[in-house]
Amino acid sequence: MSVSNWKEREREQRRNDILDAAETLFFSKGYDNVSMNGIAKKVGLGKATLYIYFDNKEELFYTVVLRGVIILNTMIKEKVEKEDTGLEKLIAFKKAYNEFIRRYADYFKAYNYFQSGRFDLSDMLHSDYSEIMMQSMLYSIHLPSNFLKVDANETIKEIFKLRKEIFFTLHKSIELGIKEETIRSDVDPLKIAAIQILICENIGNLSFDFRMILKGQGVNYVKFTKDLDDFISQLYIK
């Protein structure tokens, strides 16, 4: 191995060590209770070294979120691609999302916090973001060049790209189901996809007090989620 390759490998390992330490602290303490000093102490490096690899704490958190979104996108694609019909793909999508929530609860919490409004991402988005998303969704998987502003954070760009791919996978599955006539033809695949993702994201994020209310009324949480999914499915399945 050449000296340059060895140095590059060492640099990548150190970057991953920093990220692993930050991830552990974010998961155990929450974003707002973690500092760059704490991360430096956890990984055993000087604080100044962290800034060689990451601009700030936000960048570290975005990268942790990206790790989770990569896992989610991979799980969804693997399960959906195994199925043949649109309806089967739709069901596989929901199963993959629910499995991600169960297996990677910490990543899911971080992902939800990223979407909570805690971080101001509006300055990074093009003013016509929603229209660009719509056109891109309908005609191409590739993001247009003006999807995000030129100076937008690269990690944020990748997160949004993968989020769009996740939505696109579901949207195309619903379209296929409509074409095959296993899903009602009078529904809007875009709206159904949005509703389904909202349910997937929020059903795994029910507040503690709401869960306690269900429990107090003798309602099994697992059965509740299944009943809700069955109810929503009746809106679009033939």
Side-chain angles (χ1 to χ4, degrees), residues 24-140:
T24 298
L25 292 175
F26 288 144
F27 287 172
S28 62
K29 294 185 175 183
Y31 175 83
D32 292 311
N33 298 315
V34 175
S35 67
M36 292 296 272
N37 282 328
I39 296 169
K41 183 178 180 180
K42 177 73 174 176
V43 75
L45 295 171
K47 182 179 176 181
T49 303
L50 270 60
Y51 289 103
I52 296 174
Y53 297 88
F54 297 94
D55 292 339
N56 47 43
K57 187 176 77 167
E58 284 187 355
E59 173 64 19
L60 270 163
F61 186 72
Y62 295 157
T63 308
V64 169
V65 171
L66 177 58
R67 278 181 165 182
V69 178
I70 289 172
I71 293 171
L72 174 60
N73 191 42
T74 300
M75 290 176 66
I76 287 172
K77 283 188 173 182
E78 286 179 350
K79 288 190 178 296
V80 169
E81 288 173 1
K82 290 179 181 178
E83 305 300 336
D84 297 318
T85 71
L87 182 57
E88 289 171 343
K89 289 177 181 292
L90 170 57
I91 293 171
F93 179 97
K94 293 188 289 185
K95 287 182 177 179
Y97 214 119
N98 290 333
E99 183 181 345
F100 171 77
I101 293 171
R102 290 194 305 271
R103 290 177 57 188
Y104 301 98
D106 288 327
Y107 279 125
F108 179 64
K109 289 178 182 177
Y111 182 44
N112 274 328
Y113 196 62
F114 169 78
Q115 302 181 90
S116 68
R118 169 63 175 78
F119 306 96
D120 184 10
L121 307 177
S122 58
D123 289 342
M124 300 184 193
L125 299 176
H126 191 281
S127 58
D128 295 326
Y129 166 73
S130 59
E131 180 62 26
I132 292 169
M133 273 291 289
M134 178 71 74
Q135 295 301 316
S136 180
M137 184 68 64
L138 294 176
Y139 301 115
S140 173

Side-chain angles (χ1 to χ4, degrees), residues 148-170:
L148 293 172
K149 293 181 179 178
V150 175
D151 59 348
N153 179 285
E154 290 299 322
T155 307
I156 295 292
K157 287 181 181 179
E158 188 62 21
I159 291 172
F160 273 85
K161 175 178 177 291
L162 292 175
R163 278 161 55 95
K164 177 176 171 287
E165 287 185 13
I166 290 168
F167 195 98
F168 183 86
T169 297
L170 179 56

Side-chain angles (χ1 to χ4, degrees), residues 1-12:
M1 181 186 297
S2 67
V3 173
S4 61
N5 287 341
W6 178 81
K7 286 184 176 180
E8 182 60 32
R9 178 176 290 186
E10 183 181 45
R11 177 181 172 82
E12 185 63 25

Side-chain angles (χ1 to χ4, degrees), residues 215-234:
K215 185 177 180 180
Q217 295 300 312
V219 179
N220 179 274
Y221 177 69
V222 174
K223 186 177 185 303
F224 169 76
T225 59
K226 184 181 183 304
D227 289 346
L228 177 60
D229 183 60
D230 289 343
F231 172 75
I232 297 299
S233 297
Q234 295 306 312

